């Protein structure tokens, strides 16, 4: 993981419950943070309903223009869990029962009522797939080429990500530092732009907020180069202080 090439990933969040607002998605943040540690940048996220054609379209669009595609949701035991079928259709392969997945589910459910037809659905994979270990519930994640099919439940997704750690090819991890300041971002917009222009290896993001009756912003500097990052942060802090602003290292 030493290449300067920028590796990208996309995420498709699948589920009517997300779109309806009944469930708040927590996977985008944890997957983005995990990808950064692998030297991979989350480039785009799409949320789609439990509709096969919508999933197929999203999967085929995003897997072709990114190095990796992750999906979350829709791989459980119920009739509306159609992610595996949709992705198999997108890949042009049939759905099969993975023998290792079946064996794992049989062992997990041996003292939990046995492996029913509904539970066996969680052993279904697009033909040719590999499994992603799930130490929580026995139902594995799935990998097929550059497509990674993950659970929708955040703590299970976290375990699947842990199982994948260090196995994907990526570039240099993206590093960041945050500088907080009680200032409307519009008042320092030119300063931010000039600082970023003077440090081409870095990007500066501005994230405004309103707290305690005051307006402020956190400025996040990102780079894959530690020395360039430190130089940019130093220059930003100096410029803000020279502008009469009080800064908070680490953010507000």
């Amino acid at each position: 993981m030493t290449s300067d090439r920028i590796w990208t990933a996309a995420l498709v969040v699948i589920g009517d419950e997300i779109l309806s607002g009944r469930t708040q998605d927590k996977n985008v943040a944890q997957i983005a943070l995990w990808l950064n540690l692998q030297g991979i940048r989350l480039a785009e996220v799409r949320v789609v309903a439990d509709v096969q054609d919508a999933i197929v379209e999203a999967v085929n669009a995003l897997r072709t223009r990114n190095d990796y595609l992750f999906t979350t949701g829709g791989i459980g035991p119920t009739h509306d869990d159609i992610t595996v079928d949709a992705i198999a259709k997108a890949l042009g392969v049939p759905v099969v029962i993975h023998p290792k997945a079946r064996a794992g589910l049989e062992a997990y459910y041996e003292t939990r009522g046995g492996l029913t037809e509904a539970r066996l659905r969680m052993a279904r994979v697009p033909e040719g797939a590999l499994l992603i270990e799930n130490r929580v519930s026995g139902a594995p994640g799935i990998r097929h080429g550059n497509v990674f099919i993950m659970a929708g439940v955040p703590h299970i997704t976290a375990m699947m990500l842990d199982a994948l750690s260090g196995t994907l090819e990526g570039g240099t991890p993206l590093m960041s530092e945050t500088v907080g300041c009680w200032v409307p971002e519009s008042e320092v917009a030119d300063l931010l732009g000039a600082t970023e222009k003077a440090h081409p290896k870095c990007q500066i993001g501005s994230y405004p907020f309103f707290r305690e009756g005051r307006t402020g912003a956190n400025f996040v500097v990102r780079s894959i180069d530690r020395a360039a990052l430190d130089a940019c942060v130093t220059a930003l802090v100096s410029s803000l202080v020279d502008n009469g602003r009080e800064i908070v290292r680490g953010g507000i």
Side-chain angles (χ1 to χ4, degrees):
M1 302 212 311
T2 58
S3 172
D4 287 336
R5 161 161 125 62
I6 296 176
W7 295 74
T8 66
L11 171 62
V12 179
V13 179
I14 300 167
D16 293 339
E17 71 279 6
I18 302 294
L19 289 168
S20 71
R22 289 191 300 270
T23 300
Q24 289 188 325
D25 178 80
K26 297 180 180 178
N27 282 320
V28 173
Q30 74 166 342
I31 290 174
L33 290 169
W34 179 85
L35 286 169
N36 276 341
L37 294 176
Q38 314 306 309
I40 302 164
R41 299 187 191 180
L42 183 59
E44 49 190 321
V45 178
R46 189 181 298 190
V47 183
V48 300
D50 294 306
V51 176
Q52 186 173 93
D53 288 346
I55 298 170
V56 169
E57 192 279 327
V59 167
N60 279 334
L62 300 184
R63 72 185 176 95
T64 55
R65 63 173 178 251
N66 291 281
D67 297 295
Y68 304 106
L69 172 66
F70 289 77
T71 73
T72 59
I75 59 172
T78 60
H79 70 284
D80 58 342
D81 288 310
I82 62 170
T83 296
V84 168
D85 301 86
I87 293 179
K89 183 177 179 180
L91 299 173
V93 298
V95 174
V96 298
I97 299 292
H98 195 293
K100 186 176 178 180
R102 178 175 189 141
L105 288 166
E106 285 176 340
Y108 181 81
Y109 285 111
E110 184 177 5
T111 59
R112 297 174 172 87
L115 185 59
T116 64
E117 284 299 313
R119 290 167 172 172
L120 183 60
R121 284 178 55 81
M122 294 184 288
R124 300 165 72 250
V125 303
E127 188 175 51
L130 302 174
L131 302 182
I132 303 169
E133 183 184 7
N134 169 14
R135 299 191 298 273
V136 178
S137 67
I142 303 162
R143 176 178 183 174
H144 197 292
N146 71 334
V147 179
F148 297 80
I149 308 170
M150 319 285 282
V153 180
H155 72 275
I156 297 179
T157 303
M159 288 295 179
M160 292 180 178
L161 292 173
D162 184 62
L164 287 173
S165 291
T167 66
L168 305 187
E169 188 172 6
T172 304
L174 188 65
M175 296 171 284
S176 68
E177 297 286 348
T178 303
V179 177
C181 190
W182 290 104
V183 61
E185 63 175 352
S186 61
E187 294 185 10
V188 292
D190 292 342
L191 183 155
L192 296 173
T195 304
E196 183 177 87
K197 186 176 181 180
H199 297 82
K201 291 185 178 181
C202 300
Q203 303 85 42
I204 302 176
S206 178
Y207 304 96
F209 58 81
F210 184 79
R211 295 182 203 154
E212 304 167 12
R214 304 169 67 191
T215 299
N218 284 311
F219 309 121
V220 180
V221 185
R222 300 181 179 91
S223 179
I224 62 172
D225 185 311
R226 182 78 248 179
L229 177 66
D230 290 342
C232 185
V233 171
T234 298
L236 176 60
V237 168
S238 178
S239 294
L240 288 168
V241 171
D242 289 346
N243 197 253
R245 310 298 179 177
E246 183 179 347
I247 63 95
V248 180
R249 297 296 291 259
I252 298 172

